Amino acid sequence: MNTLLEQNLDRIPSPCYVMEETLLRKNLELIRSVAQRADVEIILAFKAFALWRSFPIFREYIGHTTASSLFEARLAKEEFGSKAHTYSPAYTEEEFEEIVGCSSHVTFNSLTQYARFAPQVKGRASVGLRVNPEYSEIETELYNPCAPGSRFGVLAQDLPSQLPADVEGFHIHCHCESGSDVFVRTLAHIEEKFSGWFGQLKWINFGGGHLMTRKDYDVELMVRTLQEFHARYPHLKVILEPGSAFAWQTGPLVAKVVDVVENAGIKTAIINASFTCHMPDCLEMPYMPAIRHAEIVENPQLSAVNSQLSTLYRIGGNSCLSGDFLGYWKFDHELQVGETLIFEDMIHYTTVKTTMFNGIGHPSIGMLKKDGTFELFRQFSYEDYRDRMC
């Protein structure tokens, strides 16, 4: 136990999402560097990360955020301190006026939504349209906004040759944890489909999914690609709105083993947290999270004579959902009740998607500061669960 996090485990409640300030600042510095060198604006997408207690740190590096709902737009204005770049698949009459008051940019998903609501935006925010390039390399259909029949964005064939005078930008989102090489290929399709309208625009938003803080991401290719795009269309302001890139590898979910059960030769370590409640993308994507000091084992031969089976475990969540488990991991020892497990990279797309299914308590949330102190942002209680009901 030699990392700053592991040195402080006795001060951290369990379960708990722990953001590490040093890792967050490392990501923010890289993102700011890309923005400056490529002459683009990179803003934070709340759909992946919205821990507002950390916003003072973010404001040292970026100026704006993106919202997809009234509550996110209010969070931008009231907690981040600047109006949101707002897009929603469908605005409602009950909320739209308040959304406009919290927004610097309002993007419409369809021409019918534009016709219905754009008059309320006039002179108050910049108006955009989401367009669909009909191309995406996202393999998981659940996350593919450009699949045939998608409800997202206007197709090129449905755009008028002359855009309405108040439409100032296009919003395009078709990436998910993608590399810069994917952006290069996607950009070719975007320009083929929509460059005929670029002369009528002031800005273009290339959406999220640009995972520039991942170790194998080719940052220089991204910077060069954006610089070349600027050279072709110098009048266009370019905006990117990643979410995961900001919080990527910035901290774990810390949980404890509360029981070990065995059935048909499979040992399952049950934790005081839940995949379905607290790590939903592990089941939705799906993907296997890394557990510190453990090795992922794919397709283990459970029936084979293997001296290592005693330290091979499936990990089970503490809910009544039968599928609330993942596996297998091999440890260097037999797990004990009360032992801490550290699930790596659990800050993005977790706290924004958690549930209290089964009445299971929500993990605490905190930050491990760069000076080694731990700041507890929040602990959750029975009243938090009760007050979500009625």
Side-chain angles (χ1 to χ4, degrees):
M1 294 178 46
N2 52 14
T3 68
L4 190 60
L5 172 70
E6 291 170 300
Q7 292 168 11
N8 284 274
L9 283 178
D10 59 342
R11 300 161 55 198
I12 298 173
S14 178
C16 185
Y17 297 102
V18 184
M19 169 167 274
E20 299 185 54
E21 181 183 357
T22 300
L23 300 177
L24 173 63
R25 287 187 179 275
K26 180 181 177 182
N27 283 356
L28 287 166
E29 288 166 1
L30 186 147
I31 289 169
R32 181 172 61 184
S33 171
V34 172
Q36 291 174 343
R37 290 194 291 144
D39 190 22
V40 302
E41 183 173 21
I42 303 179
I43 62 180
L44 169 66
F46 285 158
K47 70 177 183 178
F49 178 88
L51 296 181
W52 56 269
R53 292 281 293 273
S54 66
F55 286 174
I57 295 174
F58 278 79
R59 286 196 295 266
E60 296 177 29
Y61 300 87
I62 64 171
H64 296 92
T65 58
T66 181
S68 298
S69 63
L70 171 58
F71 290 170
E72 286 188 345
R74 284 190 58 182
L75 193 71
K77 183 180 179 183
E78 297 175 14
E79 302 298 339
F80 199 88
S82 60
K83 292 185 175 182
H85 293 232
T86 305
Y87 157 81
S88 173
Y91 298 106
T92 65
E93 292 179 359
E94 294 80 9
E95 295 183 343
F96 190 70
E97 180 63 26
E98 191 173 359
I99 284 175
V100 175
C102 297
S103 304
S104 62
H105 295 64
V106 176
T107 294
F108 294 101
N109 184 61
S110 67
L111 292 171
T112 52
Q113 281 263 301
Y114 164 81
R116 184 178 177 186
F117 290 108
Q120 292 176 244
V121 186
K122 188 174 182 179
R124 302 168 64 192
S126 181
V127 172
L129 289 175
R130 178 163 177 170
V131 295
N132 187 327
E134 302 176 76
Y135 176 86
S136 175
E137 297 186 22
I138 299 173
E139 296 180 356
T140 304
E141 285 300 292
L142 181 65
Y143 299 106
N144 185 359
C146 299
S150 171
R151 70 189 191 281
F152 295 127
V154 183
L155 303 182
Q157 66 192 42
D158 296 325
L159 284 172
S161 58
Q162 184 64 42
L163 298 173
D166 59 345
V167 172
E168 297 184 335
F170 278 173
H171 178 280
I172 305 166
H173 177 68
C174 47
H175 297 86
C176 178
E177 298 186 357
S178 303
S180 52
D181 58 321
V182 178
F183 179 65
V184 170
R185 294 189 291 271
T186 305
L187 185 59
H189 288 264
I190 292 171
E191 291 191 63
E192 179 184 358
K193 291 277 188 180
F194 298 107
S195 61
W197 287 277
F198 286 178
Q200 302 176 47
L201 303 176
K202 294 182 179 180
W203 54 265
I204 187 164
N205 184 329
F206 288 123
H210 310 279
L211 196 48
M212 59 190 71
T213 52
R214 188 175 60 197
K215 285 184 178 180
D216 63 350
Y217 190 93
D218 190 339
V219 172
E220 297 308 315
L221 175 61
M222 186 63 164
V223 171
R224 188 166 62 251
T225 301
L226 291 169
Q227 290 172 338
E228 292 169 354
F229 183 84
H230 267 307
R232 294 193 295 275
Y233 310 101
H235 70 288
L236 282 180
K237 177 179 180 178
V238 175
I239 303 163
L240 305 177
E241 51 176 41
S244 293
F246 283 94
W248 186 259
Q249 297 287 351
T250 57
L253 173 63
V254 175
K256 288 187 182 297
V257 176
V258 294
D259 197 11
V260 178
V261 299
E262 186 168 350
N263 187 325
I266 298 172
K267 290 200 296 186
T268 301
I270 301 176
I271 58 174
N272 62 346
S274 162
F275 291 105
T276 189
C277 296
H278 308 138
M279 298 175 272
D281 277 358
C282 294
L283 301 182
E284 291 179 5
M285 277 294 279
Y287 75 93
M288 287 279 285
I291 298 177
R292 192 169 300 186
H293 305 308
E295 175 187 344
I296 294 173
V297 178
E298 297 184 3
N299 303 315
Q301 299 298 312
L302 298 177
S303 61
V305 177
N306 189 333
S307 62
Q308 297 178 341
L309 285 181
S310 64
T311 62
L312 185 70
Y313 295 87
R314 198 164 65 176
I315 307 298
N318 202 16
S319 80
C320 291
L321 177 70
S322 297
D324 188 3
F325 69 87
L326 286 175
Y328 296 84
W329 287 266
K330 185 169 73 70
F331 295 80
D332 61 4
H333 62 282
E334 294 189 18
L335 295 181
Q336 302 296 317
V337 170
E339 183 171 345
T340 296
L341 299 184
I342 300 173
F343 294 84
E344 306 284 14
D345 195 23
M346 284 294 159
I347 300 301
H348 60 94
Y349 281 107
T350 50
T351 53
V352 293
K353 296 179 73 171
T354 55
T355 73
M356 287 187 169
F357 169 65
N358 257 182
I360 293 176
H362 194 290
S364 300
I365 303 173
M367 175 176 284
L368 185 61
K369 309 297 273 302
K370 60 183 179 180
D371 63 3
T373 60
F374 176 73
E375 180 182 357
L376 182 64
F377 285 170
R378 184 172 179 187
Q379 283 186 299
F380 296 82
S381 65
Y382 159 73
E383 287 74 21
D384 292 305
Y385 168 70
R386 180 197 65 191
D387 292 346
R388 295 184 68 209
M389 307 298 114
C390 58

